[in-house]
Amino acid sequence: MTQTLTPSNTIRNVHRTVQDNGIVLLVTENPAADIIATRLFLRTGSRWEPQEKAGLSHLVATVLTKGTDQLSSMEIAEQVESVGAKLSADTSTDYFLLSLKTVASDFEDILSLTGELLRSPSFPEEEIELERRITIQGIRSQREQPFSVAFEQLRQQMYQHHPYALSTLGTEASVSQLSRADLQEFHQTYFRPDNLIISIAGRITPEAATEQIQRVFGDWRAPETPLPTLSLPILTSIPQNAITPQETQQSVVMLGYLTSCVNHEDYSALKVLNTYLGNGLSSRLFVELREKRGLAYDVSAFFPTRLDQSQFVVYMGTAPENTEIAIDGLRTEVERLVNIPLTADELQVAKNKLLGQYALGKQTNSQLAQIYGWYECLGLGIEFDTEFQNNIAAVTSADTLRVANHYFIEPYLSVVGPEAFVSSFSVSQS
């Protein structure tokens, strides 16, 4: 019998305060190593972009660290590298992020630099042009990768006019038209203290962290203008097929299902099903379709955590001549979840794996700063750390069967592979 893994019922010592200017500060004191990791989350990202400006937040992220009103790109790099620190900016669908990591003695200086980057980036024209070219190269490169092509067309089918339809890189057309004024407007709109979460973990007390944040950001005031209110399209599942012939050595097959956002009651059961079906070498898809049948070069499932409706995706890379068999195999395994409840042992193994991986993802200061800041940014609060584990432990076999029957009705299908093996799939084929 499988041993049960009991989730932790205590949140680590996370100190949460809201500063006078609206900044949410999270401090996890962890003196084990002489390192301080910090994540600065802004409640923005590609979800906040109009489609004609897709890729805007990504371009902002790439240029943000390339100059301020006082410092050049080289001077910024030298300040960071001279003390062995790490500093980067990134964006995703649901948040914008600045990450830094230093030894404790350099935290004050690197935080000051980060504050300058956040508050007064100069967005040099030459850096924008360079990063634009690099981004467009990245978009073109994705078109040559069968997995990226399959996923792109799956997203576009499922999300249509919703921002989730597009890669955070944007499109070649949208990125080509982005101007310095667009970057400045995006910065002025979303980079403000009442839209900022700062999550710090490491060898620092909450009092010392608060003092440093006040020193760097205390005089930053939120504008009177309210943050924009998003009006996003309501998503309805209308399954269809998308087939792209591409001369590749393997076919990539994806089945996608519109599912729930992170705040929905079905989220935990979907996480368990995703783990059972496609997480690791012991997962159902790997064992049945790769080990037993030899169909797959690569086979897995994913269910990302999202503010809006997420997608549950199963996929396989297979020999082109096995394309049709691969589709049938993936459909059979998903439909099995609709018709056959997980056994007590299958359910417990999936829970143990999920909770074990979750615990391993909270070992370093960087991981702690990331997860608590992310939860706060998603509107879940730091309590979600405990709630998530308790909710996973509480999922029953009946829950997984109910959720499978609700969402796994008819899939969106995306196929990329050699024309001789994929051209037989018509758009109307189910």
Side-chain angles (χ1 to χ4, degrees):
M1 184 66 186
T2 308
Q3 183 180 1
T4 301
L5 184 67
T6 305
S8 166
N9 289 314
T10 58
I11 300 177
R12 287 178 185 256
N13 182 27
V14 187
H15 185 265
R16 181 186 186 276
T17 55
V18 180
Q19 308 304 298
D20 291 342
N21 58 3
I23 292 174
V24 176
L25 176 61
L26 308 172
V27 184
T28 308
E29 188 175 358
N30 183 24
D34 186 31
I35 297 292
I36 299 177
T38 306
R39 298 288 186 271
L40 296 93
F41 286 87
L42 289 144
R43 297 181 188 91
T44 186
S46 62
R47 179 174 174 267
W48 282 259
E49 299 168 350
Q51 283 202 333
E52 67 272 13
K53 293 184 179 179
L56 175 56
S57 60
H58 170 78
L59 196 58
V60 170
T62 61
V63 183
L64 191 75
T65 57
K66 300 299 173 62
T68 71
D69 294 344
Q70 305 296 325
L71 298 169
S72 69
S73 177
M74 186 60 68
E75 287 170 329
I76 293 167
E78 286 174 353
Q79 276 198 35
V80 175
E81 293 169 7
S82 66
V83 295
K86 292 185 178 178
L87 173 62
S88 62
D90 197 10
T91 195
S92 78
T93 53
D94 293 337
Y95 61 83
F96 189 101
L97 180 65
L98 268 167
S99 305
L100 56 139
K101 185 167 73 170
T102 72
V103 295
S105 59
D106 295 319
F107 177 68
E108 184 175 339
D109 290 340
I110 298 300
L111 182 67
S112 295
L113 173 62
T114 305
E116 192 174 337
L117 292 170
L118 198 64
R119 297 176 63 174
S120 56
S122 56
F123 298 125
E125 286 280 12
E126 65 275 14
E127 297 288 354
I128 293 173
E129 286 308 313
L130 174 61
E131 295 300 336
R132 187 203 313 278
R133 288 198 299 272
I134 293 171
T135 299
I136 289 173
Q137 286 171 3
I139 293 168
R140 290 172 178 170
S141 175
Q142 285 184 343
R143 290 197 214 115
E144 298 171 3
Q145 301 165 18
F147 180 92
S148 296
V149 173
F151 188 41
E152 182 78 13
Q153 67 184 11
L154 183 71
R155 278 202 312 263
Q156 290 184 12
Q157 286 184 94
M158 297 178 79
Y159 288 107
Q160 301 286 322
H161 300 294
H162 190 285
Y164 287 179
L166 298 174
S167 160
T168 55
L169 293 182
T171 68
E172 192 168 339
S174 64
V175 173
S176 297
Q177 295 176 13
L178 293 174
S179 67
R180 182 170 182 265
D182 290 325
L183 275 67
Q184 290 173 317
E185 182 183 3
F186 184 86
H187 178 265
Q188 290 167 4
T189 302
Y190 295 107
F191 285 56
R192 43 192 281 173
D194 57 343
N195 200 36
L196 176 62
I197 296 142
I198 302 178
S199 179
I200 301 173
R203 186 174 288 181
I204 190 168
T205 65
E207 294 76 20
T210 301
E211 183 181 326
Q212 292 297 334
I213 295 303
Q214 280 296 319
R215 179 182 61 82
V216 175
F217 298 104
D219 64 342
W220 195 13
R221 290 286 168 258
E224 294 183 6
T225 314
L227 281 157
T229 302
L230 286 186
S231 179
L232 298 176
I234 296 171
L235 297 169
T236 305
S237 184
I238 310 173
Q240 52 191 281
N241 296 358
I243 314 299
T244 297
Q246 191 174 61
E247 290 312 307
T248 58
Q249 294 183 333
Q250 60 176 289
S251 291
V252 175
V253 174
M254 290 185 178
L255 305 183
Y257 304 83
L258 268 179
T259 51
S260 74
C261 64
V262 65
N263 288 296
H264 198 278
E265 62 180 2
D266 294 339
Y267 174 77
S268 301
L270 284 163
K271 276 295 181 190
V272 171
L273 284 173
N274 177 68
T275 301
Y276 167 75
L277 200 59
N279 186 335
L281 305 184
S282 62
S283 67
R284 174 80 188 184
L285 291 178
F286 193 92
V287 171
E288 294 298 321
L289 300 182
R290 179 179 166 119
E291 294 295 290
K292 291 184 179 180
R293 297 180 62 184
L295 281 176
Y297 300 131
D298 181 28
V299 64
S300 191
F302 56 90
F303 168 57
T305 298
R306 292 285 182 265
L307 273 173
D308 298 326
Q309 283 175 268
S310 187
Q311 54 186 164
F312 192 106
V313 178
V314 294
Y315 69 90
M316 185 193 301
T318 189
E321 61 271 18
N322 290 332
T323 303
E324 190 166 358
I325 300 171
I327 295 170
D328 290 340
L330 288 173
R331 288 192 66 135
T332 297
E333 291 304 329
V334 176
E335 288 167 3
R336 179 179 176 273
L337 299 175
V338 173
N339 298 310
I340 303 172
L342 300 188
T343 66
D345 200 45
E346 287 173 332
L347 181 66
Q348 197 59 60
V349 167
K351 288 183 185 182
N352 289 354
K353 186 192 295 186
L354 182 53
L355 290 172
Q357 290 174 344
Y358 184 76
L360 289 173
K362 297 190 298 175
Q363 298 301 301
T364 68
N365 288 330
S366 293
Q367 289 170 330
L368 292 172
Q370 176 75 25
I371 198 164
Y372 294 129
W374 183 44
Y375 286 163
E376 183 72 33
C377 191
L378 292 177
L380 301 167
I382 56 177
E383 300 81 7
F384 189 70
D385 179 47
T386 300
E387 290 170 9
F388 174 76
Q389 296 172 79
N390 290 338
N391 290 345
I392 293 299
V395 170
T396 66
S397 185
D399 291 332
T400 61
L401 190 65
R402 174 186 60 78
V403 166
N405 273 275
H406 181 71
Y407 295 106
F408 302 156
I409 300 167
E410 182 66 28
Y412 288 84
L413 172 66
S414 177
V415 182
V416 175
E419 185 168 9
F421 299 99
V422 304
S423 58
S424 60
F425 298 104
S426 68
V427 174
S428 61
Q429 184 178 344
S430 63

